[in-house]
Amino acid sequence: MAIIRKQTIAIPEIVPFYSSGLEKTRLFVGLGNPGQQYQNNRHNIGFMCLNKFCDLHELTWITKKDFQVDLAQTNIAGSRIILIKPQTYMNLSGQAVSKVLQFYKLSLEETYIIYDEIRLKLGLIEILKTNKDYGHNGLKSLGQYLSNDLHLIRTGIGPKQPSNIDLTQFVLSDFTKSQIPIVNKIAQEISSLIGETSYMDLVDERITVF
């Protein structure tokens, strides 16, 4: 696994009210589309990664209709980890995320967005802080509600094959059978990264899992 570390992400000094008694809180947002017909789509790798973490930690998803999310949470080493899967469909993800941030009194410094990135090859994970949406509809929606830079966990699903396939058709199609083991490794790696936030902040880095 190759890792290039660049700069440290600062820890907020103010502890949110709903995290009283805990060292810190981290919110992880997996982007995707709700519904069984989408669950294995490339566009849903954000959901897949959070599902993996929940499976490993034996967590149960709870539907929060007022927030329009499925939510799970746990405490690790004195830190609160909140996971959400917006149920608004990808293009309206910002609605759900903004509601959760407001309710839990969380800042964007405590929030990480996991999404599918066509510009990165499958097996590559990139963590960075930026206000760019990279043409991704989920990030565009977040930008409508959240004005500051976002911590992104960019999960590669590229390259687009065949090259002449429509982009929407590609991202809304399932991973191939040969790609599933790589996807499982990605989900395992990101699950480990989520656990690491109990002890340290994630920093800008690039990780190759295949």
Side-chain angles (χ1 to χ4, degrees):
M1 179 176 72
I3 300 179
I4 302 174
R5 297 189 180 273
K6 299 176 183 176
Q7 71 180 66
T8 301
I9 300 172
I11 301 174
E13 294 182 359
I14 300 176
V15 178
F17 173 78
Y18 287 96
S19 301
S20 179
L22 297 176
E23 182 180 349
K24 58 185 176 181
T25 296
R26 288 292 179 263
L27 173 66
F28 288 87
V29 180
L31 296 185
N33 289 309
Q36 187 173 359
Q37 67 271 38
Y38 301 110
Q39 64 180 353
N40 295 317
N41 285 182
R42 294 177 173 90
H43 221 20
N44 271 41
I45 196 167
F47 279 16
M48 296 176 191
C49 291
L50 295 191
N51 287 339
K52 182 67 172 181
F53 181 87
C54 283
D55 289 344
L56 291 172
H57 292 267
E58 299 182 344
L59 304 180
T60 300
W61 289 105
I62 299 174
T63 298
K64 296 286 189 178
K65 292 184 178 180
D66 47 344
F67 300 150
Q68 296 177 286
V69 301
D70 284 350
L71 183 147
Q73 59 182 315
T74 188
N75 296 335
I76 301 178
S79 296
R80 185 182 198 179
I81 304 296
I82 302 174
L83 317 173
I84 63 169
K85 297 186 295 185
Q87 300 297 294
T88 55
Y89 291 95
M90 184 71 77
N91 294 4
L92 299 175
S93 300
Q95 292 182 7
V97 176
S98 62
K99 290 177 182 178
V100 172
L101 287 171
Q102 183 177 12
F103 180 81
Y104 285 100
K105 303 187 185 323
L106 298 174
S107 72
L108 294 182
E109 284 296 321
E110 301 161 297
T111 304
Y112 294 87
I113 312 298
I114 306 169
Y115 80 101
D116 56 295
E117 179 51 69
I118 188 65
R119 292 170 178 80
L120 299 179
K121 74 176 184 68
L122 182 66
L124 188 64
I125 302 167
E126 189 174 74
I127 302 171
L128 53 81
K129 184 179 180 182
T130 181
N131 61 2
K132 295 181 180 179
D133 61 37
Y134 298 101
H136 191 278
N137 287 334
L139 297 184
K140 287 180 180 178
S141 178
L142 290 173
Q144 294 175 0
Y145 292 86
L146 311 173
S147 58
N148 296 331
D149 290 355
L150 298 173
H151 294 305
L152 303 181
I153 301 179
R154 311 174 72 214
T155 308
I157 61 167
K160 182 164 65 77
Q161 293 178 336
S163 59
N164 62 348
I165 189 175
D166 177 76
L167 178 59
T168 300
Q169 181 182 351
F170 178 75
V171 300
L172 291 179
S173 60
D174 291 353
F175 287 104
T176 65
K177 184 177 180 180
S178 63
Q179 291 174 332
I180 294 300
I182 305 174
V183 174
N184 289 336
K185 289 181 180 179
I186 292 170
Q188 179 72 50
E189 181 67 29
I190 290 180
S191 293
S192 297
L193 289 174
I194 293 173
E196 285 180 10
T197 61
S198 304
Y199 310 94
M200 56 182 285
D201 283 326
L202 299 185
V203 297
D204 291 2
E205 62 182 69
R206 177 169 286 196
I207 303 168
T208 301
V209 298
F210 179 80

